[in-house]
Amino acid sequence: MQSSGQASATRVPIGSDADLAWVRQQVRQCAARLGFGLVQQTKLVTAASELARNTLVHGGGGRAEITPLDNGRARGLKMSFIDEGPGIRDLELAMTDGYTSGGGLGLGLSGAKRLVQEFSVDTEPGRGTTVTAVAWVTQVPSARPGLG
């Protein structure tokens, strides 16, 4: 992920449910400014909402860093969710569809991963977790000749 012309990150503290709404709003606004379509914006907001909630519930709070990207060919959005909580003991298990540690549907990490192009988790028990998700603006295909 090469990013020349990278703008500074917007940092949003995550310490309460109200902060989750603020994260969603910041992601939507940044994605719209970068030219993400409505469906792409919705995917990014959904991923951010899930990852921010995990930061709050499982990590005991932390912060989100929302960074516009420009690699010279495409614009994108990098979202990092950082906590200093207990970490994830078994990352492979946590990334499995259906696995839940909190009574949810078990689509958190794996579901968020499916909504973006790049996804990484840096975690260690007792050291905390950083989840980074990156999406790039994709252009809507033009209509095929003869249709419409």
Side-chain angles (χ1 to χ4, degrees):
M1 163 181 44
Q2 204 63 301
S3 59
S4 62
Q6 178 172 318
S8 63
T10 299
R11 289 174 177 78
V12 182
I14 300 172
S16 70
D17 283 339
D19 295 331
L20 302 180
W22 184 240
V23 168
R24 288 190 296 269
Q25 180 181 19
Q26 292 301 306
V27 167
R28 180 160 316 270
Q29 288 175 353
C30 188
R33 279 193 306 272
L34 288 166
F36 282 92
L38 186 57
V39 171
Q40 290 177 300
Q41 289 176 38
T42 301
K43 288 179 179 181
L44 285 168
V45 169
T46 301
S49 183
E50 181 58 43
L51 297 172
R53 179 159 295 288
N54 284 354
T55 300
L56 178 62
V57 173
H58 302 295
R63 71 183 185 279
E65 294 181 358
I66 304 158
T67 310
L69 302 174
D70 186 339
N71 68 8
R73 295 183 321 275
R75 290 179 317 278
L77 183 64
K78 175 176 143 181
M79 306 180 297
S80 296
F81 298 85
I82 302 142
D83 70 60
E84 295 177 7
I88 302 171
R89 285 190 203 279
D90 187 340
L91 182 57
E92 188 176 339
L93 179 61
M95 292 296 298
T96 303
D97 283 349
Y99 173 78
T100 179
S101 61
L105 295 175
L107 296 174
L109 288 175
S110 62
K113 180 179 181 180
R114 283 193 295 274
L115 296 171
V116 297
Q117 284 95 2
E118 301 170 31
F119 190 87
S120 65
V121 180
D122 179 19
T123 187
E124 187 177 304
R127 186 181 57 83
T129 301
T130 298
V131 179
T132 302
V134 176
W136 297 96
V137 175
T138 56
Q139 302 305 317
V140 175
S142 54
R144 292 182 293 182
L147 295 178

